[in-house]
Amino acid sequence: MSFLIRVQLPDSPGTLGAVATALGTVGADILSVDVVERGGGLAIDDLVVELPSGRLPDALITAAESVEGVEVDAVRPYAGILDTHRELELVEEIAAQPKAGLDLLAEGVPKIIRAGWAVIVEHAESGPRRLASSSAAPENPFTDLPWLPLERATVLDGEDSWVPETWKELGTELAATPLGKPGKAMLVARPGGPNFRAAEVARLAHFAGIVAVVLDG
């Protein structure tokens, strides 16, 4: 089984190698690594690892944290490998099929920023309206999205009153970004975490801005 493990570690030579060695002791095979954030002497890395059947994911936490200064933020099942360079491909795909642009965007973004699902919503006089959603997105109707209109990309409180109880039970982390104008936005979710880092929110906003220009063009 594959897992996404987010680790916080000292930004110093050899530390990631030590983590890889430690994970290897429990039979984990690292498939890919992505640097999420770096600064203040620390790095936040996402590792996709394959764990032999019969091994519990808790073993990944124990192994990684056996390295001095390393903390595990989250571990969750993950299908596939990190797809951190697909932004350009997705923009080209949307530009070639603008009528299906919102559907392509909703389906593609979770693969790029390692989220569970995404929906695109619009603020209307009658209430929020769903414009597109990824295949894994829940069917919950949106009766109230108090954060719309949205001026800038932000992390949302997953325990807020508008959040469905089923999302809360899963410990869903949420982030949203305007899509061209404040009244239209993309909501991205990670059931079970990890939380969205500032660098990820900035990346989401930048990408949404590019796509909005392409769709308006």
Side-chain angles (χ1 to χ4, degrees), residues 5-206:
I5 175 171
R6 174 165 292 186
V7 294
Q8 178 177 290
L9 66 164
D11 190 9
S12 56
T15 304
L16 184 57
V19 171
T21 300
L23 292 174
T25 63
V26 296
D29 183 23
I30 296 179
L31 303 179
S32 55
V33 179
D34 181 36
V35 179
V36 176
E37 206 169 76
R38 179 168 279 157
L42 293 174
I44 306 293
D45 290 354
D46 278 351
L47 290 75
V48 173
V49 302
E50 195 170 63
L51 199 58
S53 58
R55 290 273 190 173
L56 297 175
D58 287 355
L60 297 172
I61 300 174
T62 303
E65 293 188 342
S66 69
V67 179
E68 186 176 355
V70 173
E71 293 182 18
V72 174
D73 283 355
V75 176
R76 66 179 175 92
Y78 188 82
I81 60 173
L82 292 179
D83 201 358
T84 57
H85 303 292
R86 194 173 178 264
E87 286 100 329
L88 182 58
E89 293 177 19
L90 184 55
V91 169
E92 291 175 343
E93 201 176 342
I94 290 170
Q97 305 176 66
K99 290 184 179 179
L102 293 182
D103 292 318
L104 292 170
L105 178 64
E107 197 65 50
V109 163
K111 299 172 185 176
I112 292 172
I113 65 165
R114 306 168 301 284
W117 51 265
V119 296
I120 296 171
V121 292
E122 185 175 49
H123 180 70
E125 289 184 9
S126 58
R129 188 161 61 100
R130 185 187 298 228
L131 301 178
S133 58
S134 63
S135 54
E139 295 297 325
N140 303 70
F142 295 118
T143 56
D144 181 32
L145 295 179
W147 46 271
L148 272 179
L150 186 66
E151 293 294 335
R152 63 181 63 84
T154 186
V155 172
L156 300 173
D157 183 357
E159 294 296 322
D160 212 343
S161 58
W162 67 270
V163 179
E165 286 299 321
T166 50
W167 301 9
K168 294 178 182 179
E169 290 168 6
L170 293 172
T172 304
E173 300 288 344
L174 300 166
T177 183
L179 194 56
K181 52 187 178 182
K184 187 184 293 185
M186 178 165 52
L187 175 66
V188 185
R190 282 182 180 148
N195 62 324
F196 287 93
R197 309 286 300 189
E200 293 179 298
V201 175
R203 180 181 179 190
L204 181 64
H206 179 67

